Amino acid sequence: MSLLKVGNRALEIRIAESAPRRLRRFVARLADTDLPTMPTGQVMQVRGGNQTRLTVDVDRGEVLLELAANLLGDPATLEIGVLQAAARSVAVMRDGELALLHGSAVTADGGRSAIAVLDGGRGQGKTSLALGVAAREGSLLVDEFAFTVFPGGQPCVVPMPTLPWHVRADMAPLLAPHATEQLLYAVDLPAPATGGHRPLPLSLIVIPDHGLAPGELREPPAPAARDLLRAAVNDHEAKLRDPTLDHVSIFSSADDVTISSSLPASNSGENALDALAAVPVLRVGIGKPDDLPTSVSSVIRRIGGAS
């Protein structure tokens, strides 16, 4: 049994024995073997089908991912697609206390808090910047799927040490020169991974911005910061509903995804935005791969100045 654990919740992933061996190994690797087995009412079945389709039954906590045979020629895309389906399904079956942010996160302050590097709707650079910061100060928490809880209204990032990091091909020579795969795990990367599982309070949010000079820092006022954060809060659910928004997807159109039953009417997204906007938000200029050290140094100096 493979459990994708998010804080005190878990999704059991059951993959057919007929699935490619590499994909079965990938699903097994998503499970955190250091944690005791826990009961879960949410199950995701992964099996073959005539068409690649995803069905999410919110009320019953059941997910069915059917994979067409023509996907098997691109293992990395297939693995990314399974991870996207699992993480996003957990998020839409939420109880209002869990948000899935689009971005990466690393530890700060000696492991007592977290820094999130989120998508502000302005392009790439999240993973690269997070890896660069962690290599100099901190540990890896999570890439791309930054689950966040809000105890007492305080945003806290959930460590996901079993999830892989997707390093861009042009950044790999700088960040992981010996890498041969698209998806890398903590053991493949120069920055250490946190050994803990406790959600860490978010002390700073960084948004890479190609519109600024590399290393340039700007702290937007609260209303503008809230608008910048909207993409990070909404991206994953939007891409679940319409896979054509993804850069990498195993689906062809929104018709390939069915979310049965209406999602609970709530203002959880707006509440998450309110809580996140109370955290210091920083735009940082990021450019070409050779510019990354400049951007990382600027963020490190800002962290030092804020501590």
Side-chain angles (χ1 to χ4, degrees):
M1 178 172 63
S2 291
L3 291 181
L4 178 63
K5 188 174 184 298
V6 184
N8 61 358
R9 303 180 61 183
L11 175 70
E12 180 185 350
I13 305 177
R14 301 174 182 170
I15 185 166
E17 288 295 325
S18 57
R21 183 178 179 184
R22 171 169 168 160
L23 185 60
R24 286 187 280 116
R25 286 199 306 265
F26 173 76
V27 169
R29 197 166 189 176
L30 297 180
D32 196 329
T33 55
D34 294 334
L35 294 170
T37 300
M38 60 185 292
T40 172
Q42 297 181 345
V43 177
M44 175 175 169
Q45 299 271 5
V46 183
R47 68 189 189 199
N50 295 325
Q51 179 183 355
T52 299
R53 288 189 51 81
L54 178 69
T55 304
V56 183
D57 190 321
V58 175
D59 294 332
R60 299 179 65 179
E62 296 177 353
V63 183
L64 173 61
L65 176 60
E66 299 173 273
L67 302 173
N70 61 2
L71 288 176
L72 304 183
D74 188 351
T77 296
L78 184 56
E79 292 165 0
I80 291 171
V82 170
L83 179 54
Q84 288 172 341
R88 292 168 179 172
S89 295
V90 169
V92 299
M93 294 188 292
R94 64 188 182 271
D95 52 14
E97 298 179 357
L98 180 72
L100 176 56
L101 307 182
H102 184 194
S104 305
V106 299
T107 64
D109 192 27
R112 291 183 288 273
S113 66
I115 297 172
V117 185
L118 302 182
D119 191 311
R122 297 176 179 269
Q124 300 170 322
K126 303 177 299 299
T127 299
S128 301
L129 187 58
L131 285 171
V133 171
R136 288 182 50 180
E137 182 168 327
S139 300
L140 305 176
L141 286 174
V142 65
D143 181 38
E144 190 68 16
F145 303 99
F147 283 99
T148 305
V149 292
F150 301 86
Q154 167 65 58
C156 296
V157 177
V158 180
M160 301 288 285
T162 64
L163 300 194
W165 289 66
H166 189 190
V167 182
R168 282 167 36 196
D170 61 340
M171 299 302 300
L174 183 64
L175 296 167
H178 303 295
T180 58
E181 299 284 343
Q182 289 187 47
L183 295 178
L184 303 177
Y185 294 83
V187 295
D188 305 315
L189 297 165
T194 178
H197 301 283
R198 177 176 56 86
L200 296 180
L202 193 54
S203 59
L204 179 67
I205 296 173
V206 178
I207 298 179
D209 191 335
H210 286 273
L212 301 178
E216 181 181 352
L217 302 180
R218 291 192 185 178
E219 191 163 347
R226 196 177 188 280
D227 288 340
L228 280 173
L229 294 169
R230 191 173 294 277
V233 171
N234 295 334
D235 265 9
H236 278 303
E237 184 170 327
K239 290 175 179 177
L240 175 67
R241 294 179 179 279
D242 183 1
T244 62
L245 299 174
D246 266 314
H247 294 297
V248 178
S249 180
I250 58 175
F251 304 107
S252 300
S253 74
D255 293 335
D256 296 335
V257 177
T258 301
I259 303 178
S260 62
S261 180
S262 299
L263 294 179
S266 71
N267 59 352
S268 59
E270 297 302 312
N271 290 341
L273 279 170
D274 290 339
L276 291 167
V279 176
V281 177
L282 192 67
R283 293 166 56 205
V284 58
I286 191 165
K288 299 177 180 179
D290 290 344
D291 298 319
L292 181 63
T294 300
S295 301
V296 169
S297 294
S298 292
V299 174
I300 295 293
R301 286 194 298 270
R302 170 61 174 78
I303 295 170
S307 60

